[in-house]
Amino acid sequence: MIVNDRITAYIQSLDAGNGPLLDSIEEEALADCVPIIRRETSAFLKTLIALKRPQSILEVGTAVGYSALLMSRVMPENCRITTIEKYEKRIPAAREHFKMAGEEGRITLLEGDADDLLAGLKGQTFDLVFMDAAKGQYLHWLPMILELMPEGGVLISDNVLQDGDIVESRFAVERRNRTIHSRMRRYLYELKHRQGLETAIIPIGDGVAVSTKYTER
């Protein structure tokens, strides 16, 4: 638990939903234990998209397409999303959801390993990047992501506080989670100390880091 459960429940009670399609995708994903962003995080993400008004968005971690469709609801009409997914079993569901929403023209799904696909995007720029894939790879992907972002670009990293375990000693977390725990700690340190990045770590949902790229003067 990062934030008091009563506060979280109250915030969620105020949520007006995201329309029949997205609400049904959310319900089905939760029933099938598919990892999607938490409701309070989705509200925060939509607010940032509406504020930034990006022309191009990169998402690392499509899952069943829930967060891409959330972003499409509030992004400018001429904005385009490129989203990356490796897990083959979820790709058909994501494509079907994009089709049902009528968003195939604005959302491009790239299938495969993020290492290869990010390298293949070199030369393109994305005003906003949403990172929500393998948590142990965030630090590895960071240099490639930053190369794709212009000055003023925003990187949003989800699930960075690991249900509060991030503050624990390495030896206080389960052995199978220790590698991810140490890598995430290094990732957050890098976001806060890397020159040319301004980062806020926000204890909402499972923790969100918002980083803006700028040129130091």
Side-chain angles (χ1 to χ4, degrees):
M1 181 181 69
I2 299 172
V3 179
N4 182 289
D5 284 343
R6 291 180 62 199
I7 295 293
T8 298
Y10 174 68
I11 293 172
Q12 291 184 354
S13 75
L14 298 173
D15 197 285
N18 293 293
L21 176 59
L22 274 169
D23 288 349
S24 67
I25 293 172
E26 179 189 30
E27 184 178 346
E28 184 177 334
L30 293 174
D32 294 339
C33 297
V34 175
I36 61 171
I37 60 175
R38 303 185 188 188
R39 186 165 294 183
E40 61 272 28
T41 307
S42 72
F44 182 63
L45 176 63
K46 287 189 299 180
T47 301
L48 290 178
I49 298 292
L51 175 66
K52 175 65 177 173
R53 296 189 61 77
Q55 299 301 301
S56 54
I57 296 173
L58 174 63
E59 177 184 53
V60 184
T62 313
V64 293
Y66 180 71
S67 51
L69 287 175
L70 275 174
M71 292 188 285
S72 74
R73 286 176 58 88
V74 292
M75 71 189 191
E77 184 63 33
N78 61 345
C79 182
R80 297 294 181 269
I81 298 175
T82 299
T83 182
I84 293 172
E85 180 57 50
K86 179 180 180 179
Y87 190 38
E88 294 180 359
K89 292 184 177 180
R90 293 188 182 133
I91 290 171
R95 291 198 183 280
E96 179 62 21
H97 292 151
F98 297 155
K99 182 178 179 180
M100 292 170 67
E103 291 289 3
E104 309 107 301
R106 297 201 300 166
I107 302 176
T108 300
L109 198 164
L110 303 180
E111 303 179 30
D113 189 88
D115 278 11
D116 299 328
L117 295 173
L118 288 172
L121 293 173
K122 191 172 182 179
Q124 299 186 46
T125 57
F126 297 91
D127 303 320
L128 186 140
V129 180
F130 181 50
M131 189 107 78
D132 189 22
K135 310 305 174 281
Q137 297 301 311
Y138 281 16
L139 184 64
H140 172 65
W141 291 329
L142 182 61
M144 291 184 281
I145 293 291
L146 293 178
E147 282 190 14
L148 300 174
M149 292 169 53
E151 182 174 8
V154 174
L155 168 62
I156 303 170
S157 309
D158 197 17
N159 302 118
V160 297
L161 296 182
Q162 302 180 329
D163 282 320
D165 281 352
I166 199 71
V167 302
E168 302 294 342
S169 160
R170 179 176 184 272
F171 300 103
V173 300
E174 294 184 28
R175 183 179 296 273
R176 62 189 176 91
N177 293 329
R178 287 178 183 173
T179 298
I180 293 176
H181 176 268
S182 61
R183 287 180 180 177
M184 184 57 74
R185 278 189 160 222
R186 287 166 54 202
Y187 178 68
L188 293 178
Y189 184 90
E190 181 69 14
L191 289 182
K192 293 294 290 184
H193 291 82
R194 191 182 186 100
Q195 292 186 343
L197 272 189
E198 188 63 42
T199 297
I201 301 170
I202 303 165
I204 187 172
D206 194 21
V208 180
V210 181
S211 308
T212 301
K213 183 177 178 180
Y214 71 98
T215 300
E216 292 189 306
R217 292 177 175 83

